[in-house]
């Protein structure tokens, strides 16, 4: 699905030098690379505060702790996402409220969101799934009407832009009260281990979060709140500092591959390619999508056969996600009604993600698209 080796070979020299520098410095934790990368990322995202942490799951948990959410508070998020999003809600004894997604963007359904709000609702967690920014303008409006926090799970869409109706653009993850991301190797900005970060423009929240990531310490050995130990290590920061200047190039390479796929599948009636719902543009020409995944919907019931056929032909592919969260043993709840999850219940049977990364060449794309089109005639 990804080709991290070829990407590394192109930047090997700079990466190896910066890792060697960390080894020579022995500042393995909180070394200069961590602060430098933090500053570079703040500048890139045009956000006041980036707080690095150990991974994207921690980032979500720490954001929720920083906002002071309390057991019993309801947090609304989507049924169709990676489990980390709902996992941390459960870990903090908050009440997850899962809702359906839109059929075209796979992102949070605004009507379902309105219906899910109760007096106990405290926060909304939109996930910018597969690299496409959710309908933030509508989400912010609902949040302000009901006085709710917005926590953007931006693990899959770093580098994406969101354009408001008045033409203003903001980077994904910097639009709500707080945003989180993951630097897991296969993410769009990946390191060579685990890593994550939290973004906010709120000075007070940033201060609170800086303490939480460091055992609740604001002054050494004085623990004002219960915190966690969640750090980005210096070696990962060195990798990320080297890769950040390439992020826009990486996003464009992914969009180019998406454009190739979209064109190749345009006339196949059994395939629905990714189209944009919130901005009205075709996804491959719009900067609100950075294609963490390239995900098709197969309309003729042959998704599973296609999955096997591609594997038989040596083509990687994956089903993200095969089981909706509301049906997972850990997260199911009798208050859920299957009728409220019509879209996710369909998507689990129709979606298939094709190889998507920064190193796809035309020969590979031609082989993949021909194999798919020949099978789904
Ligand atoms: C990857 C991912 C996470 C978790 O990130 P980790 O760094 O693996 O902990 C959270 N949410 C979403 C949507 C993700 O894709």
């Amino acid at each position: 699905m990804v080709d991290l080796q070829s990407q590394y070979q192109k930047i090997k020299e700079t990466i190896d030098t910066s890792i060697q520098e960390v080894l020579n410095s022995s500042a393995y934790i909180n070394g200069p690379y961590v602060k430098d990368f933090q500053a570079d990322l703040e500048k890139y995202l045009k956000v006041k505060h980036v707080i690095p942490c150990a991974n994207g799951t921690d980032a979500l948990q720490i954001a929720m702790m920083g906002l002071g959410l309390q057991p019993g508070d309801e947090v609304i998020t989507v049924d169709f996402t990676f489990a980390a999003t709902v996992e941390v809600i459960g870990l903090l004894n908050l009440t997850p409220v899962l809702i359906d997604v839109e059929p075209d963007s796979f992102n949070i359904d605004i009507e379902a969101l309105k219906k899910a709000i109760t007096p106990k609702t405290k926060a909304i967690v939109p996930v910018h799934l597969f690299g496409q920014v959710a309908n933030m303008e509508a989400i912010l409006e609902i949040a302000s009407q009901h006085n709710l926090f917005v926590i953007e799970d931006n693990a899959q869409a770093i580098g994406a832009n969101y354009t408001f109706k008045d033409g203003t653009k903001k980077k994904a993850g910097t639009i709500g009260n707080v945003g989180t991301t993951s630097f897991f190797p296969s993410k769009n900005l990946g390191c060579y281990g685990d890593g994550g970060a939290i973004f906010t423009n709120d000075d007070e929240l940033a201060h609170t979060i800086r303490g939480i990531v460091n055992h609740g310490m604001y002054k050494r050995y004085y623990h004002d709140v219960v915190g966690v130990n969640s750090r980005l290590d210096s070696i990962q920061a060195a990798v990320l500092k080297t890769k950040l200047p390439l992020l826009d190039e990486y996003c464009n390479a992914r969009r180019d591959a998406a454009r190739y796929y979209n064109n190749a599948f345009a006339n196949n009636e059994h395939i629905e390619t990714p189209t944009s719902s919130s901005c009205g543009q075709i996804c491959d020409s719009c900067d609100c999508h950075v294609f963490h995944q390239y995900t098709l919907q197969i309309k003729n019931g042959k998704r599973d056969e296609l999955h096997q056929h591609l594997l038989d032909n040596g083509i990687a592919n994956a089903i993200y996600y095969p089981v909706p969260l509301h049906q997972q043993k850990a997260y199911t709840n009798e208050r859920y009604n299957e009728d409220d999850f019509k879209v996710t219940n369909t998507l689990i049977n129709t979606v298939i993600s094709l190889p998507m990364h920064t190193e796809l060449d035309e020969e590979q794309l031609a082989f993949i698209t021909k194999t798919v089109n020949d099978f789904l005639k």
Side-chain angles (χ1 to χ4, degrees):
M1 294 298 284
V2 294
D3 183 358
L4 299 174
Q5 189 52 234
S6 305
Q7 192 191 59
Y8 164 63
Q9 289 305 329
K10 289 185 181 163
I11 50 174
K12 181 178 184 329
E13 224 168 291
T14 347
I15 292 272
D16 292 3
T17 309
S18 60
I19 291 178
Q20 191 61 50
E21 255 176 59
V22 176
L23 297 179
N24 295 344
S25 76
S26 55
Y28 304 134
I29 295 284
N30 282 334
Y33 268 118
V34 179
K35 285 180 196 73
D36 287 356
F37 168 63
Q38 176 188 319
D40 290 355
L41 190 56
E42 283 166 353
K43 210 162 142 201
Y44 174 84
L45 293 171
K46 300 189 181 73
V47 70
K48 275 175 93 176
H49 306 281
V50 165
I51 302 113
C53 66
N55 58 68
T57 310
D58 276 8
L60 280 164
Q61 178 180 333
I62 293 159
M64 289 177 200
M65 291 168 77
L67 291 169
L69 299 180
Q70 295 298 318
D73 287 351
E74 290 180 4
V75 178
I76 300 174
T77 192
V78 283
D79 190 35
F80 194 62
T81 175
F82 181 58
T85 325
V86 66
E87 180 178 74
V88 299
I89 300 173
L91 272 175
L92 293 172
N93 284 319
L94 311 172
T95 304
V97 177
L98 296 170
I99 63 169
D100 212 357
V101 296
E102 298 176 337
D104 40 10
S105 69
F106 314 131
N107 276 331
I108 194 164
D109 183 293
I110 300 301
E111 292 312 310
L113 170 59
K114 287 181 191 161
K115 268 182 37 192
I117 292 170
T118 75
K120 286 188 178 166
T121 309
K122 287 285 157 26
I124 308 167
V125 188
V127 179
H128 303 316
L129 201 74
F130 301 155
Q132 185 177 14
V133 190
N135 186 348
M136 290 307 293
E137 192 142 8
I139 294 165
L140 291 184
E141 201 176 298
I142 292 166
S144 92
Q145 276 165 9
H146 297 271
N147 206 14
L148 309 174
F149 296 120
V150 176
I151 305 160
E152 296 174 74
D153 181 346
N154 194 35
Q156 301 190 0
I158 195 156
N161 287 302
Y162 182 79
T163 311
F164 288 81
K165 286 193 196 100
D166 68 4
T168 356
K169 272 185 196 273
K170 280 190 182 176
K171 287 281 180 200
T174 69
I175 304 164
N177 300 83
V178 58
T180 64
T181 203
S182 163
F183 303 123
F184 186 79
S186 64
K187 301 285 158 118
N188 289 30
L189 179 61
C191 55
Y192 297 161
D194 274 309
I198 303 150
F199 321 135
T200 185
N201 284 306
D202 180 332
D203 297 338
E204 208 174 311
L205 180 61
H207 173 76
T208 307
I209 287 175
R210 286 210 174 89
I212 292 173
V213 297
N214 190 25
H215 302 291
M217 283 194 289
Y218 297 89
K219 192 174 149 196
R220 202 158 174 79
Y221 301 122
Y222 290 80
H223 304 271
D224 295 359
V225 295
V226 177
V228 295
N229 168 20
S230 188
R231 291 182 284 240
L232 179 72
D233 69 71
S234 304
I235 290 181
Q236 302 311 330
V239 171
L240 290 165
K241 184 175 158 56
T242 307
K243 286 179 78 174
L244 178 60
L246 301 167
L247 179 58
D248 284 342
E249 200 179 293
Y250 289 163
C251 291
N252 286 333
R254 288 171 178 274
R255 271 195 286 268
D256 287 346
R259 193 169 303 120
Y260 189 104
Y261 279 138
N262 279 352
N263 287 333
F265 299 134
N267 297 320
N268 190 321
E269 57 176 336
H270 306 305
I271 298 177
E272 194 168 315
T273 57
T275 46
S276 179
S277 56
S278 48
C279 72
Q281 290 188 51
I282 304 291
C283 278
D284 61 25
S285 59
C286 173
D287 59 1
C288 77
H289 204 324
V290 291
F291 291 97
H292 175 61
Q293 299 295 344
Y294 182 83
T295 305
L296 299 173
Q297 294 179 63
I298 306 303
K299 297 296 196 181
N300 63 355
K302 296 209 168 145
R303 193 274 313 265
D304 290 341
E305 287 163 61
L306 175 65
H307 168 66
Q308 193 53 49
H309 180 72
L310 293 178
L311 290 181
D312 293 344
N313 283 276
I315 298 172
N317 69 98
I319 312 299
Y320 302 123
Y321 297 93
V323 183
L325 290 177
H326 80 275
Q327 287 176 9
Q328 298 280 1
K329 274 189 202 156
Y331 304 114
T332 190
N333 189 298
E334 60 225 12
R335 73 175 178 266
Y336 293 135
N337 179 343
E338 287 304 323
D339 283 346
D340 292 332
F341 299 101
K342 287 206 176 82
V343 177
T344 53
N345 285 344
T346 306
L347 290 178
I348 53 158
N349 295 313
T350 56
V351 289
I352 187 163
S353 299
L354 298 180
M356 174 50 80
H357 53 83
T358 58
E359 313 301 316
L360 280 164
D361 61 32
E362 208 155 315
E363 195 184 326
Q364 292 168 320
L365 289 164
F367 177 63
I368 296 165
T369 51
K370 184 175 186 317
T371 311
V372 172
N373 277 330
D374 284 350
F375 186 75
L376 295 177
K377 271 212 190 92

